[in-house]
Amino acid sequence: MPGSSEGGAGSESYDATPYLPRRGGLPAHRRAAAECRGCPLHEEATRTVFGRGEAHARLMLVGEQPGDQEDREGVPFVGPAGRLLSRALLEAGIDEEGLYVTNAVKHFKFTSDETRKRRIHKAPSLRETLACRPWLMAELRLVSPELVIALGATAGRALLGPSFRVGADRGVPRPLPGAEEGTRVLGTVHPSAVLRARDRDAAYAGLVADLRTAADTL
């Protein structure tokens, strides 16, 4: 149970399972996730950043982890990458109000610069991603979307396994293992990768094209 010594602070089990509630919907899971100590990432992060959006959305978006602004506000995709994603969804003809949006990892992993005035994103490890996966699978079960968009490699590997590669596997809907029959997943780049791209226009166009494929799939 949450707060017990099993999987608690200082544990090396790397497993969020003991913190999941035995019953209840998304609100119950959001409250329980706030107390998760299933891996060491909670020690430096400000808060758990759980998913947001329509409780029975047909489309779920899964990113990597919260960024600096998301960690401070407690809401996924509210930083620069989130604003770019909102623009891309609009261009692809997807109503953002009807979505459920979350991350594969619920705590912000970062390093600090020498002055400690900036927190710099650091990708979560496979071990940390797997530790947090029970929360993601619970969200999938409760929302039961028709289609899941995996934004970037971390989300893709959390959903489809370690063999997932964005470049090779993007833009093609496929069955989602472990989800309800009929649920599919489509991989694409993470919006933050577009912001870092050398040719940002081309990277953005590719993201919009993949989102249009998702819209056509529904």
Side-chain angles (χ1 to χ4, degrees):
M1 61 181 289
S4 70
S5 59
E6 181 183 9
S11 169
E12 295 300 323
S13 66
Y14 280 80
D15 183 10
T17 303
Y19 296 92
L20 269 69
R22 295 180 180 178
R23 61 182 65 86
L26 288 169
H29 282 71
R30 184 176 290 107
R31 289 191 297 270
E35 304 300 324
C36 185
R37 303 294 184 265
C39 84
L41 292 185
H42 74 89
E43 296 171 4
E44 299 294 332
T46 305
R47 70 189 86 242
T48 304
V49 181
F50 202 72
R52 64 174 171 89
E54 178 61 42
H56 300 290
R58 296 177 64 200
L59 180 61
M60 177 186 286
L61 274 62
V62 180
E64 180 190 78
Q65 66 168 3
D68 180 81
Q69 190 170 339
E70 288 83 1
D71 175 71
R72 297 180 191 279
E73 296 187 23
V75 182
F77 284 97
V78 294
R83 291 191 288 274
L84 184 142
L85 178 62
S86 293
R87 180 160 60 94
L89 288 166
L90 182 63
E91 286 194 33
I94 296 174
D95 181 8
E96 193 171 359
E97 293 299 317
L99 305 179
Y100 186 86
V101 183
T102 191
N103 282 300
V105 174
K106 311 302 188 197
H107 286 111
F108 179 35
K109 183 177 181 179
F110 61 91
T111 58
S112 299
D113 66 11
E114 294 181 359
T115 63
R116 298 191 66 84
K117 292 181 179 179
R118 292 179 61 236
R119 301 188 301 173
I120 303 168
H121 163 275
K122 185 176 181 181
S125 68
L126 178 60
R127 191 181 186 192
E128 290 156 350
T129 303
L130 292 177
C132 208
R133 193 171 185 269
W135 291 116
L136 178 59
M137 297 310 294
E139 289 173 294
L140 283 166
R141 175 178 57 82
L142 292 166
V143 177
S144 189
E146 294 178 26
L147 181 67
V148 181
I149 298 177
L151 299 166
T154 297
R157 290 168 189 161
L159 292 165
L160 293 169
S163 65
F164 175 84
R165 298 291 182 271
V166 175
D169 300 324
R170 67 182 293 178
V172 180
R174 65 196 66 202
L176 178 58
E180 289 192 10
E181 185 177 354
T183 301
R184 290 179 287 177
V185 60
L186 180 147
T188 188
V189 296
H190 195 283
S192 63
V194 176
L195 293 173
R196 297 192 303 268
R198 185 169 301 177
D199 188 343
R200 187 179 294 185
D201 289 343
Y204 178 77
L207 172 61
V208 172
D210 289 340
L211 294 176
R212 283 180 178 146
T213 298
D216 292 341
T217 300
L218 290 173

